[in-house]
Amino acid sequence: MPTLTKAPDIVLGFDVSKDTLTVFEARSSSPCPKPCVIDNTAAAIRRFLKSLGRIDLAVCEPTGGHEHVLLVELMAAGIACHRVDALKVKAFIRSFGTLAKTDALDAEALARYGRDRWDRLSLFL
């Protein structure tokens, strides 16, 4: 099971839907990042990833295959990625007392989950 060997500085959390991706960037040097929404297409994902430069880890949820294009583009770009266990992330979110559920909150939680649990996350191959 491959994992990261050093703590990531830049982690992206992707909340996946059929047509869009809500993305949150957790960065140690950015205290208040904001989520953004991009199309869930190969071209849009490629453009977005190129616009960011370095990315240490990307975390997404399983969504019945809607995450497939994202995972393919992340791997093609050489970005470490993890597809989470939805129950573990749900417990992680609730551990902070968060009950609300929006795409932006989910993307933020996924990014923070990656920053917190990076050393235990198996990378998607």
Side-chain angles (χ1 to χ4, degrees):
M1 164 177 91
T3 60
L4 291 177
T5 56
K6 72 175 211 171
D9 182 43
I10 303 165
V11 179
L12 298 181
F14 288 90
D15 183 74
V16 179
S17 71
K18 180 180 177 185
D19 298 321
T20 61
L21 302 169
T22 302
V23 189
F24 185 89
E25 181 182 336
R27 181 188 291 245
S28 61
S29 60
S30 180
C32 190
K34 295 181 181 172
C36 66
V37 178
I38 63 172
D39 289 337
N40 190 1
T41 65
I45 294 166
R46 221 173 290 126
R47 275 192 309 273
F48 177 74
L49 295 175
K50 284 182 183 178
S51 75
L52 294 179
R54 189 179 116 229
I55 301 162
D56 299 322
L57 176 64
V59 179
C60 73
E61 59 188 350
T63 57
H66 296 302
E67 75 281 7
H68 180 74
V69 173
L70 171 64
L71 291 170
V72 167
E73 291 302 323
L74 289 167
M75 290 188 304
I79 298 168
C81 49
H82 174 73
R83 185 169 50 183
V84 301
D85 177 326
L87 292 176
K88 288 180 182 178
V89 170
K90 185 175 183 179
F92 178 80
I93 293 168
R94 289 186 188 266
S95 75
F96 294 101
T98 304
L99 299 177
K101 183 166 174 28
T102 67
D103 292 347
L105 288 174
D106 286 352
E108 180 178 357
L110 289 164
R112 296 198 186 287
Y113 181 81
R115 283 193 50 87
D116 185 62
R117 307 283 167 92
W118 67 270
D119 59 337
R120 290 170 238 139
L121 301 180
S122 58
L123 300 179
F124 190 81
L125 300 174

